[in-house]
Each structure stands twice: as structure tokens, then as C-alpha cells.
Amino acid sequence: MVDIPGNTPIPIGTTLLATPPSAIFPGQIGIAIASPSPIFTQVRLNWSIVDTIWGGTQAMRLAGKRFLPQEPEELENDYIRRLSRTTLHNFYKRSIQSGVSKVFAKDPYLEDANPVITSFCADVDTQGRNLGQFAKGLLEDGVNHGVSYLLVDYARVPQDYSNLAEEQTAGNRPYWVHVQAANVLDARSAKFATSERLSYFKFEEQVTELSDDLTHTTIFNQIRIFKQDPAKPAVLDQNTGAELVPAQGETPVYFAVYRQQNTGGLAFNTGVSNAGNWVLKNWGQLSVDSIPACPIYTNKIGFFLGNPPLMDLAELNIEHWQARSDYNNILHIVQVPILLGTGFGAELDEKGGKKKLKIAVNAGTFTASATAKLKWIEHGGASIAAARINIQDLEDRMSALGLILTAQTSGDVTATAHAISSSESNSLLKSYALNLQDTLNSALDFTAEYLGIPNTARVVVNVDYAVDYTSNTTMADVLTAFNAGVIDQLTVIAEAKRRNVLDPAAVIVPPPVNESSTPAKPAPIASTPSTPDVSNDSSVNAGTTNQ
């Protein structure tokens, strides 16, 4: 809960304010609100490249001359035809999807979760997607852009509720929103009491509304803003020490939704036409202590900023797109040979006009010239072979770059990676999975904070995909080691979960150890000679008697 001086604590979820804090959220804003900040403008340049490739053939064709230059003497109609014959072989997208699918070969699961959190994770976005389905899209976008974002929002009907059960019965609950990197306009940090964290977050989205008569749907552009200011000390007069501006505490988390007006109307509290402007649609404050947005980094370059980690692969894919276009164009031209005629005179038709040579099925040509010849000229094909070798070389290089997701490297990982052995924490894909795990756990903390309940649940994301365990043939080796007394029951259970023999989320308690059923261990080998039995040895006894 966030306590506001002079007011009661904010209820669960969100509070819609009767009057917006005008100093924070003015009623109407011009088009500048939709512009990204300078630093986000820079990173969006690379984001737009990978987004176009991700969009496939149609997106690349729409990009036109940006990725497929027009030749100096090439006519516009010829260029358009060449572009329409070019298709994208999307190595870039396929490499990312293949790598991410390895992470989700086993679904993420919860440890130590209470029933409320378990129920929430069955539908995290109120649209039917469970934790694993939501997380897969989040990681794909993160690998594509270098960063992606998870916002924990709250759907709430503005009325009073006496307890959490009434809130949930009314359909009010937290929900997760995947904010794709390409939609973020700005994110800024500030120094709060304990750490530096997010103080301003702005992103764009589109919403649809169905008309009252159910005849048409309108698409609106929206911008959502979240803002929180840290505490500020009092401002004192340098001469007298008198307090000029009183100290201010940390503000609550405020939010606002601006919608672009497409058809005009009256702006909020002004009576001014708002056609094309952005008008305040909704506003309020959240009950959580900080802005509930969590980034997932795969190539961090700054606060809430990332650069596509597979940019080299993306650029090679563009080169492949261009090479395939040239290759297809050459094939289109050389597949039709050129007919060459020599020695023909000025042949005239019946009307006295110049006779045209007709080439068709069941047709022939006549000439009075005894030296006339016709022959077909075909391309030698050497340049075609060179173009094909170039394309094959590009495909080999792209395949090699695509494997970087699972190759061993010395890249940095988050603190979670230190919980596993160093040999398992060095691949890029594993570091991405562990970063995703941290992001999901942060989102669960915000979810529990909205609900006003303690959170003990932790998400566990699969990082065990370097070895193919689909056949489970190695499970026999594990059992052999157990029967030999090398490993215990808990190790067997852990290894069975790794191989999907047992459900990774299952809680399995091994039975008590029965000594009679415990595999016999071999007797230890003595390191020194054993003492002989002398009870019946006369020579020894005699020796003792003679002493």
C-alpha cells in the first residue's frame, strides 16, 4: 500500500481520480507526445530493421528500395516486377524461434506457490494465455530487439470493495501486458531512497471499439504514461535559512491514458476542437510502491535499452534477400534464349509494308535471300553458377551465426546464473532464459503486491537443453549409478525431472530407506595386511612361552 498524506491508503489495484493532477497530466497535448525520446529514436533505427525482417516477404516488399536498391538504368516498372518476384528466406526469424523453442521444450513451473498465484498463472493476461505461453512471446521479442517489457496492470471497476474476494468476484484482478520494444517511446530512471529505478514509462498502443449499433469498429491510437517522483528535500533561503519550498515525499505511481482523436469533438474541460490531438482518456494512481514494468534484457546498452543481439545475422539476411533478387532476375532473363537473324533483305508484306518475322507454334517464315540464317543465342551460365555459389555461402554463414544462441561463450548472465554450475551458464540462450526467469519473478512480486498478499512463489525456467534427452536412454545409466550406491534417491529424482521422465513441477518425496533393500556395497579393500589368527598357531604360542 502507498500512504498519501491526509488520505486513507489506496485500495487494492487502481484508484481513478476525480480530477487529474494537471501539473502531471494536462487535459490535451499536441502531437509531440507521440514522439520517442532522442535515445529511443536512435535505438529504433536498428529495431525497425529487425522488425521488417521479422515481418517476412510482404514487409520487405513494402520497405522497397530501403533494402532492395533500384539499379541506375533500371526502369521503375522493371524494378517493381523484380521486387514482386523476390521472396525472403527468413533465416533470422527461424533462428530466434528455434532457439527460444529450446527454452520452452519444458514449460516453466512454480515453486512454493500459494493457490492464488497458481490460479493467476493459468491466465496471466486475462486472454487465456498461461505463464509459459506469455513468457515465450516475451522472450522472442527480447531476443529480436535486445530488450522487451512486461507491465503488470490492474483491471478495476471504480467502486468500493470490502475485501479481496469481492474484488475477484467482480472480475478485478492484476494482469500482465507484453509491451513490445518497438512500442516504447521513453523510459527514465531516478534515484529513490534505496535504489535507482524507473520513474517514467511511456508507450503507444492501439485499441478497438465497437459502435453501439454493432455496425463498425474504430481503431484508436493510445499512449499510456506511468510516472513517479522520488522524495525531494526542502528548498531553503541561502541567507536566512528560511524554508522556501517544503520537503516532498515520494509520490504515488500515477498513470494516464491519452487517446488520439480521429473525428474531432471537444477536448477535456476546454471546449476546443481536438481533431488529431491527444486527449486525456483515463488517469489515476496505483497501489504498488513503484512503476510495475519489468524489462527482459538480451543485449543491454542502457537503462531499459537494448540492441538486437543478432544484428549481424539480420544484415546477412538482407544481403541474402538482395542476392536472391539478382539471382531470380538473371534466371528470368536467361531462361528465354534470343533469336538472331542474319542475311535477311528488306522483306515486304502484301501491303508493301516491312514484313515482320513471326515466331509461333505451327508457323514458319520465308525469305528470298539465299544467305539468310536464324539461330538461338543462349547464356553461357557462368555468372549463374557464381551467383548460386554466393547465395550458398551466405546461407552457410547465416546458419553458423544462428547457432550462436546455443554455442558456449563467456557472456555475462544475471545473478541467478550463479546458482548453477559455470559450465551450464555460459551459452547466450541460457543467459537469456535466466534473465527471463528474473523478469517473471519480478512480475510475480508486483502481482502479489497488487493483491496485498505475501509472495513466496518462484518461477523456474528451463535451462537444461544442451543435451538431447528426448530418447531418455541415459536414464538407465542414472539407475545403474544408483544401484551401485554412487548417487542417492534425491539425485535420481532430479535427473529424472531433467529428462522429462518425471514432471519437473511434481513434488516427490523419496520413500524411507530400507536397509534390507539397499544395494549391497562392496567391502572396502584393506590398505595394510590383516592381523593373522594366532589362536591355533603352535609356533607363535611357543615363541610366546619361551619369552
Side-chain angles (χ1 to χ4, degrees), residues 521-542:
K521 297 183 180 180
I525 300 175
S527 58
T528 57
S530 58
T531 304
D533 185 2
V534 298
S535 57
N536 297 318
D537 193 326
S538 59
S539 63
V540 174
N541 291 335

Side-chain angles (χ1 to χ4, degrees), residues 53-88:
I53 299 174
W54 193 270
T57 297
Q58 294 304 317
M60 293 292 283
R61 287 176 179 171
L62 288 174
K65 298 171 185 177
R66 181 184 182 190
F67 298 121
L68 188 63
Q70 184 176 1
E71 300 300 331
E73 301 299 326
E74 188 176 22
L75 299 178
E76 184 67 21
N77 288 337
D78 292 339
Y79 171 78
I80 293 174
R81 283 193 291 270
R82 179 163 67 93
L83 179 64
S84 65
R85 289 194 299 267
T86 306
T87 56
L88 178 70

Side-chain angles (χ1 to χ4, degrees), residues 179-201:
V179 182
Q180 296 186 349
N183 293 337
V184 176
L185 300 171
D186 200 2
R188 304 179 187 181
S189 64
K191 181 66 176 178
F192 287 81
T194 58
S195 63
E196 183 174 354
R197 66 171 189 258
L198 186 65
S199 64
Y200 184 81
F201 189 52

Side-chain angles (χ1 to χ4, degrees), residues 156-179:
R156 185 177 191 274
V157 177
Q159 67 184 62
D160 293 330
Y161 300 95
S162 60
N163 54 52
L164 177 60
E166 287 187 6
E167 286 258 2
Q168 294 176 334
T169 301
N172 302 324
R173 50 157 287 179
Y175 66 100
W176 290 1
V177 179
H178 177 199
V179 182

Side-chain angles (χ1 to χ4, degrees), residues 344-359:
F344 284 84
E347 306 285 342
L348 302 177
D349 59 18
E350 294 82 357
K351 298 180 180 179
K354 186 176 181 180
K355 188 176 181 180
K356 295 182 179 180
L357 181 63
K358 183 179 181 181
I359 302 173

